[in-house]
Structures are given as C-alpha cells and as structure tokens.
Amino acid sequence: MTHGAAPGGSGGVPPRGSAAERRAERLVLLSFGITFLTGIALLVLYVAGGQTQLEGILLTLCLGGLGVGIVIWAQRLMSSELRIERRHPIGGDRHRIANLGEALSDEEGFTRRTLLIKALGGALAGLGAALALPIFSLGPAPGRALFETSWRAGARLATIGGEPVGPDDLPVGGVLTVFPDGDDIDPNAATLLIHVEPGLLRLEGDAATATPEGFVAYSKICTHAGCPVGLYRAAQHILICPCHQSEFDVLAGAVPISGPAARPLPQLPIRLEGDTFVAVADYSEPVGPSFWNMGR
Amino acid sequence: MIRRFLRPPPGTSRPPSRAERAGPADDAERDPPTDLERLAMWIDTRTGLAGVVRTGMRKVFPDHWTFLLGEIALFCFLILVLTGTFLTFFYVPSAALVTYEGEYVPLQGQEVSAAFDSVMALSFEVRAGLLMRQIHHWTALVFVAVAILHLCRVFFTGAFRRPRELNWVIGFTLLILAMAEGFTGYSLPDDLLSGTGARIAYSAALSIPLIGPWAASLVFGGEFPTEALISRFFVIHVMLLPGLFFGGIAAHLAFVVLHKHTQYRGGPAEETNVVGRYFWPSQVFLSTGLFFLTAAVVALIGGLFQINPIWAYGPFEAAEVASPAQPDWYVGWLDGALRIFPPFEPTILGVTIPSAFIPGVVLPGILFTIVALWPFLEARFVGDDREHHLLDRFWERPVRTATGSAILAIFGVLTLAGGNDVIAFYFSTEVESLTNLFRVLTLVVPPLLWILVYRACKSRRDRSQEPVETHRPPRGGVALRRTASGGFEEVET
C-alpha cells in the first residue's frame, strides 16, 4: 500500500454541528468579510485620490483577511490526519545504466570514428570562439582611457558650468569640486581644490611648486573603489571617502593614513594665471581605483 | 446516457478507462458524471493528465514550520514579479538628461536622467505607484533574508545530503541570482546612492589582474560612469536574471517532487516513507493562505515604512556622493570586507594587485565556493555517501554546525564592519579604532565560535541516549534493507 493514515487521531476535524465547528466557520466568514470590505474601501480610496500609508494598511487587511481565512479553514475544518507515503529509491539500477551505455554507444558509425569525434570537438571550439566575438562589442578596449582624464595644460579650474576659480573664491579651510573649464563630460576629471595655510604643506619638488598660495588640487576619485572623496575635515586637513572610510592627509600629498586605500590621491599640478587657477598638465598617474597594469 | 459519455465516438481510439476495465456491471451502478467530472474528462481526453494530477493531489507533505521558509521565498519572488511588472510600465531605462518638472518642488527645474525622472513620477504622480515601488523594494530585502534562512535550515539539518546535492547547488545559485537582482534593481532609479553601488562593483571588476580593465569595460560598456549602465542593468534586471530565475525555480521544485520532502525524525517517520498531509486540499490551502499572509506583511511594511527615498538623495552626479553610504543589507558584508581590508597593494612582476581585489573578488569567491560545494565536501570528509531523507538535529553534527556558524559569523562581523562609520557616530568613537577592532574580530570571532559551537553540540550529543545512526526497525512495521540492485527487501527482526 502506497498511502495510508498514520495510527491514532481522527484528524482533528470538529464534529458536525459542534460549537467548535461553528466558531471556526464564523472566524473564516469574518476574515473573508474583512477582505471584501477592505477591497471596496481600497477602491473608494483610489477614486478619492489615494494615500500611500492608508493604501498599505487596507491592502494588508485585504490580503491578510484572505490568508487568515484560508489558513483557519485548512487548520480547523479540514482533516489534519497524518498520511504516509512510501519512498521509492532514486535510480541506481545497474542494468538500466548498462542499457543506457549500450544505447549511447551502439552506433558504430559514431563510436568508431574517434578521429572525427576529436575533429568535431575542435570544430565546436572554433564555433564557440566565433560566437564569443560579439562579446567584444559590449565595451571599448580599455586602451589608455584609464590613464588619462580631460585635464589639459591651460584648462581653467571651474565648478560645473560655473565661473573659473581664483584665490579670492575660496577661504582657508575651504574645498571646491572643479572640472576643466567647468565641463564635467569626463566625470573622472573631478578634482578637489583645497585652500590651506601656505606654510603647512609638506610637499617637495614639482609637487610643492604646483601649489600656488596654499592652494592644492587632488583627484576626487578615491584610489580604493572609485567613490568621490566627499568629506573634508578642515581642522586636521584630512579628506575622507564616505564609502569605505579611507583617509588622506592633504598636507602630505594626500597619502592614505587610514582605511583600505593604498595609494595617494593623484595631485593635479596647477598655477595661477592672472586671477584664475589653470592646470599645468593632466594628472601624471591614473586617477581612481587601481588596476593591474597601471604602472605601465 | 453514461455509456454514451464514456464510450469514445466512432473512429477514435482511446485506452480503456478504469471504469471500462472494471466491467459493465460496475459501470451501470455509477451515478451520472457530475459537471466536474465532465470537465475533467474533457481535459483528460486532450492531455491524458488525469492520472498524474490525481497522484500529485495525493502527494504527502511533511508539516513543520521550517519547511515553510522556502515557500515564503517562492511567494516573495511571485510578489516581486507582480509588483515589478507594474513598475516596468512606468520606468524609463534611459540616462538621457531631461528637466524635472514633476510635483516635488525642491527638484523642479533640475537636470536629471529620464530614469530618475520616471521613478520620481512613479513615486509622486502615479496613484499607488509609491506603494508598489516600496513593496517591491521591501519584498526584495525580505526575499533574500528568507532565502538565507531557508538555506540555513537545509544546511543545519543536513537536508542537502544525497540525493539532494544538485538541488543544493541550484538553490545556492538562486540565492546568488537574487542578490544580483537586488543589486541591479538598486541601481535603476539612478539616484545619488545607487550610482555609488555600481561604481564600487565596477572598481571590483577593474581590480582583477590581467583581465580586469577588459572585464569592467565589457560589463559596464566602457569606463565608469557610462551611458549604457542604466539600459544594460534594466535588461539584466527584468529579462536575463528573471529568465534564469524561472528555469532555476522550476528545476528546484521539480527536484523536490522527484526526491519527495525530507522530514524530521519522530512518530512514524522513517528513511523509507514520508509522513504528512495530502497536497490536496490541506497543503494547497495552507500554502495559498501563506501566500496571502506573506503579501499582507510586505504590503504593511511597504505601505508604512519609507525605503530608498530618491527625492531626498537627489539624482546621480558622478562627482557627488551620499554619506553615510550604505548598501542593501545583504551586500553589507562585502562593503565591510572592503572597508577593513588593510591597504595592501603589492606589485609582483609588474602586475599590481589592487587593494580592492582580495576583499572584493577573492574573499567572496572563496566563501561562495565553499558554500556551493559543501554537500560534496562533507560527503568526502565524513565518508558518508548514503541516501538520507531523515533530517539531523543540528547538535548531532558538531563539525557541520560549528562550520556553518563560523561562516555565518564571518558574514555577521563583516556586515557590522560595513557600518563602521554609522557605529562610530552613534558611539562617538573614531572610525579608525573601530576598523582595527573589526579586523581583529573578523579573525577571532569565527574560530572562537567554531570551538564553542562544536563543544556545545558535542556535549549535547553525548548526553543524548540515541546514537546518531540507528538502524532500528520501524515501530509496528517491517524492517527493510537495501538490496544490491537498489530495491528493498524485508529483514527478519
């Protein structure tokens, strides 16, 4: 026998006409009634213009009434008698496997042509390579794009679509996001212009000369995972990336002093031309997150 | 009358029905067929499915609340498909810039993407649109949570053992798909926060040695941020992944039917039977009720609790960032790993290993591989390749339970580390010291928990009178033994 009832218990269904049965039936009726009424109410609310929180509550009651009613119906008014079903072993018959093996290999025109089978494998590999071709249309070759930004010698530092920035536009302790001539066509050109007390910067050589009047410019793209380094703690001269909490020391060439970033934010060499700042050249190293061949 | 109904029309051939096989005498005593029987006959003579359906209705389902977790996950998926379909009717997958002219005053006149604009319209102008959007997002969060609970139930009870190893792999793949769905969906509104998540994923792809720049370019359509991102993620979110989902869920359920359900020990339950309720009507009613209850709960959360208020974040700007930047909860552990991994970026033979590579690619790769292959690893190490249909109690398998707990602890500690700035804010401490603390905790807590759980399970098991593997005969029945050919034979007891 495949099916059978487990011993013991009448299945828990209350006897016909009993108080328990009537109570269960009333509960199911009440639940379905709530669903009906709240459904109508939802319709009225919708016509009246809708209100998200009320809609949520009414929808909850509407769906919940149906759910509760159906579950009570199943639990209180249907047999919960335990049934037993036999399990049958899954596969594992050696004869069937042997038959399958025979069926797979009984065509000699297939099995004996080992050379052709190998050649077929080779042909399919070729087909696979051909089918992989369109994949390379999905994106341009990386090329030098990762090494460059849209900064060029003479490009003026300006806020997005705004005026070029000069020394008077930024007090000490201030920070401003600038783009080449204010054009953000290349988002990776985002640069932070920071004004510190001129004597505090601890830079040397070219890096030091590229900081006119205590103004220093660093890439805004974090060298860890590419988030914009959006927070500046002016009192300590620390830039913080909100994504993974990397911290960079503005006075010492934006070297990472805490968190997961391992590389300084590249510095944009700038000079003063008249009363606006301009770039001396593009960044000399890749901005943003590292990649394997960035040293080349 | 009834004979005319049962007899095939001239010229058709049909195998004899059960009634015909039983003989004409039996036939004559039957009542005329009901309308339901007529309908069933109409369908059966066109599909031949009556037998299968009848067998299916009498399938037995064991009754235990932990078996409902997988069902709730399935229902969440259905709710996601329903609400998601509604959302696609209004969503515009385009990065083209438009001027926002909707109802939300603070953003009026601002240049935003068409995608952002359409989600704003969905939230403010489409009636019940915000409700649908919030239910969709909340359900996605609940979906992943319930799927993980379901995975834990299967893991800690050993339900993944032979013959269910393949279904474990399918189930785990579905969980990865769910996370990928959540991640791509998170990016679609094109608000300030969503772009940040995509950017970090781009950086992780970029960090892979040798193939990173190519891989990142092919997935994102160039150097981040790209115009292609929104439309690409949209197609992945609403077509590619759901297609894989439907296939995966079908296979997952087909395996449950094929293997029959596992069950806990106790009562008449044995390795060779299934004890529970019939599929029809009890189980169907309970499951239908559970579907509506699941829908009611997510409707309540979606109606009352705001989620992803994109109007407060504003549109995506490549040079801007929201702070605190927090991902959806199930990605938090990856974010945490990225936060606390030390600033280590060596260059070996001219190949730079970016600091995001190990925490962002290698670590999840290793963890996912261990979880995905667990059934095979355990079978090999324990040397147990037998079929199992009775579930373990979690303390009966100290090594498995301890290892599972340790893996969960890794995810837990890393998730907390993903909120180190938020925790630092609430406890008025420095983020740096918290980062160091989490570095220590990640290394210390999992092994410590492993030892603790192992010892607790072991002492509980030793106290228990019942040995783990008993071959005792079933109470009041016959004892069966597997034969070499795979069948069963009775054993004298």
Side-chain angles (χ1 to χ4, degrees):
Chain A
M1 200 179 129
T2 313
H3 296 91
S10 64
V13 185
R16 267 190 178 207
S18 67
E21 186 196 41
R22 280 202 304 277
R23 203 162 48 238
E25 205 172 52
R26 272 203 301 273
L27 273 175
V28 177
L29 279 175
L30 178 72
S31 304
F32 289 172
I34 288 173
T35 296
F36 179 77
L37 291 177
T38 48
I40 303 288
L42 261 178
L43 204 62
V44 173
L45 177 67
Y46 185 88
V47 173
Q51 205 277 343
T52 302
Q53 283 78 24
L54 261 181
E55 282 164 5
I57 291 170
L58 286 177
L59 190 60
T60 304
L61 291 173
C62 190
L63 294 163
L66 206 51
V68 169
I70 292 174
V71 168
I72 293 177
W73 188 350
Q75 295 282 47
R76 300 258 188 102
L77 295 170
M78 283 179 194
S79 159
S80 58
E81 213 170 346
L82 282 186
R83 310 286 180 168
I84 301 182
E85 189 181 355
R86 265 279 281 282
R87 259 180 224 282
H88 306 286
I90 296 158
D93 184 342
R94 281 201 193 140
H95 294 291
R96 269 165 58 188
I97 299 297
N99 286 339
L100 176 70
E102 273 170 36
L104 282 172
S105 57
D106 69 350
E107 172 57 59
E108 289 200 343
F110 175 64
T111 51
R112 285 187 59 189
R113 303 277 170 249
T114 48
L115 176 68
L116 289 186
I117 290 175
K118 280 176 192 153
L120 180 65
L124 290 178
L127 183 67
L131 291 178
L133 262 185
I135 288 177
F136 288 96
S137 302
L138 294 179
R144 299 301 293 173
L146 292 170
F147 295 84
E148 296 165 358
T149 72
S150 58
W151 283 104
R152 293 291 172 267
R156 288 169 301 172
L157 277 63
T159 52
I160 296 179
E163 293 295 305
V165 180
D168 300 335
D169 297 325
L170 199 60
V172 169
V175 59
L176 211 54
T177 301
V178 294
F179 283 87
D181 297 318
D183 184 358
D184 65 343
I185 184 118
D186 176 13
N188 293 313
T191 297
L192 291 168
L193 181 66
I194 303 164
H195 190 185
V196 298
E197 292 282 353
L200 292 177
L201 285 166
R202 302 190 301 274
L203 298 168
E204 285 170 8
D206 289 347
T209 52
T211 57
E213 297 182 21
F215 283 85
V216 61
Y218 295 113
S219 164
K220 195 181 181 179
I221 315 298
C222 187
T223 53
H224 173 236
C227 288
V229 181
L231 306 174
Y232 181 49
R233 212 184 281 154
Q236 290 126 308
H237 307 97
I238 290 172
L239 282 167
I240 304 167
C241 176
C243 283
H244 304 110
Q245 310 294 316
S246 290
E247 299 184 3
F248 303 90
D249 185 354
V250 168
L251 300 181
V255 291
I257 50 171
S258 172
R263 209 155 52 85
L265 298 171
Q267 185 189 350
L268 182 74
I270 55 171
R271 63 188 161 83
L272 206 49
E273 196 176 275
D275 56 355
T276 58
F277 292 109
V278 298
V280 175
D282 190 8
Y283 289 99
S284 58
E285 51 183 307
V287 302
S290 305
F291 47 96
W292 71 278
N293 57 348
M294 60 182 299
R296 297 175 189 192
Chain B
M1 169 84 183
I2 183 159
R3 280 168 185 277
R4 207 182 320 138
F5 181 83
L6 288 171
R7 195 161 292 154
T12 60
S13 68
R14 189 173 53 85
S17 71
R18 181 174 292 183
E20 280 168 343
R21 282 202 301 272
D26 204 25
D27 221 27
E29 285 165 23
R30 299 191 73 172
D31 296 327
T34 60
D35 287 345
L36 191 68
E37 282 170 352
R38 278 173 200 278
L39 179 68
M41 179 59 85
W42 191 93
I43 296 173
D44 188 44
T45 47
R46 279 146 190 88
T47 60
L49 286 178
V52 178
V53 171
R54 152 82 211 199
T55 311
M57 282 163 57
R58 283 290 178 261
K59 263 192 93 65
V60 169
F61 281 79
D63 204 10
H64 194 271
W65 68 269
T66 56
F67 297 160
L68 301 180
L69 292 168
E71 276 188 48
I72 296 175
L74 175 68
F75 298 149
C76 284
F77 177 74
L78 292 180
I79 295 165
L80 284 167
V81 171
L82 291 174
T83 51
T85 305
F86 179 85
L87 299 182
T88 56
F89 292 151
F90 301 93
Y91 178 71
V92 180
S94 163
L97 287 178
V98 296
T99 307
Y100 179 70
E101 285 165 348
E103 283 183 12
Y104 186 68
V105 178
L107 286 178
Q108 277 169 3
Q110 199 165 328
E111 291 265 286
V112 299
S113 69
F116 183 84
D117 187 57
S118 68
V119 181
M120 287 295 286
L122 193 53
S123 307
F124 284 93
E125 280 122 62
V126 177
R127 266 185 215 179
L130 183 61
L131 181 69
M132 287 294 150
R133 194 166 86 75
Q134 295 197 144
I135 291 179
H136 191 73
H137 199 141
W138 275 116
T139 308
L141 300 186
V142 174
F143 180 38
V144 179
V146 175
I148 290 174
L149 288 177
H150 174 56
L151 177 139
C152 288
R153 196 280 293 171
V154 171
F155 182 89
F156 288 110
T157 58
F160 53 80
R161 291 172 297 175
R162 186 181 160 192
R164 296 182 177 78
E165 306 99 318
L166 294 177
N167 218 17
W168 166 270
V169 176
I170 293 173
F172 185 68
T173 310
L174 287 173
L175 178 62
I176 303 292
L177 288 179
M179 293 201 225
E181 274 287 30
F183 181 76
T184 49
Y186 181 81
S187 303
L188 291 182
D190 203 27
D191 58 289
L192 193 51
L193 200 53
S194 75
T196 308
R199 186 196 289 273
I200 295 169
Y202 169 84
S203 301
L206 186 70
S207 74
I208 304 170
L210 305 183
I211 60 165
W214 261 112
S217 176
L218 295 182
V219 174
F220 289 82
E223 192 184 1
F224 190 91
T226 59
E227 293 264 309
L229 180 96
I230 293 288
S231 53
R232 227 169 246 200
F233 273 30
F234 180 66
V235 171
I236 294 172
H237 185 75
V238 305
M239 194 192 83
L240 201 60
L241 293 176
L244 293 173
F245 244 116
F246 278 114
I249 288 176
H252 203 55
L253 296 181
F255 265 125
V256 173
V257 173
L258 178 77
H259 292 145
K260 296 189 169 72
H261 214 290
T262 52
Q263 56 193 346
Y264 289 100
R265 239 169 272 164
E270 295 294 339
E271 284 284 4
T272 51
N273 66 11
V274 197
V275 180
R277 299 190 191 191
Y278 280 155
F279 182 61
W280 175 263
S282 307
Q283 193 60 36
V284 169
F285 265 66
L286 283 176
S287 295
T288 311
L290 190 62
F291 169 77
F292 287 114
L293 289 175
T294 308
V297 170
V298 290
L300 188 70
I301 309 175
L304 295 189
F305 299 97
Q306 188 181 66
I307 189 161
N308 208 16
I310 59 160
W311 51 92
Y313 304 148
F316 177 66
E317 302 268 0
E320 300 302 327
V321 66
S323 178
Q326 294 292 330
D328 277 343
W329 75 269
Y330 48 84
V331 192
W333 65 278
L334 262 176
D335 207 48
L338 282 167
R339 283 180 191 220
I340 65 169
F341 195 76
F344 175 63
E345 197 164 281
T347 299
I348 304 159
L349 301 172
V351 175
T352 303
I353 310 293
S355 54
F357 178 60
I358 294 173
V361 180
V362 176
L363 174 86
I366 292 175
L367 283 174
F368 283 175
T369 307
I370 291 175
V371 178
L373 298 183
W374 182 265
F376 309 102
L377 297 175
E378 186 185 292
R380 165 158 292 210
F381 284 119
V382 179
D384 179 4
D385 193 32
R386 286 168 299 163
E387 262 190 33
H388 291 278
H389 301 289
L390 284 181
L391 296 171
D392 292 326
R393 295 174 186 94
F394 67 90
W395 43 262
E396 290 174 338
R397 302 284 180 179
V399 175
R400 178 204 295 151
T401 303
T403 309
S405 308
I407 291 176
L408 285 178
I410 295 175
F411 286 119
V413 173
L414 288 180
T415 303
L416 283 176
N420 59 0
D421 55 334
V422 180
I423 297 171
F425 176 78
Y426 281 112
F427 290 90
S428 305
T429 54
E430 293 289 316
V431 174
E432 299 85 64
S433 44
L434 271 180
T435 299
N436 286 327
L437 174 70
F438 280 119
R439 282 174 182 158
V440 175
L441 289 181
T442 308
L443 296 177
V444 170
V445 171
L448 217 63
L449 193 69
W450 195 97
I451 296 170
L452 257 165
V453 172
Y454 178 81
R455 297 192 61 164
C457 289
K458 211 159 162 14
S459 73
R460 173 73 182 80
R461 188 177 70 173
D462 292 345
R463 261 188 291 128
S464 159
Q465 294 299 310
E466 271 188 359
V468 179
E469 286 302 328
T470 52
H471 292 286
R472 64 200 154 82
R475 272 164 239 154
V478 290
L480 293 174
R481 182 164 65 197
R482 275 301 279 281
T483 60
S485 63
F488 288 95
E489 63 182 11
E490 266 187 48
V491 183
E492 295 295 326
T493 47

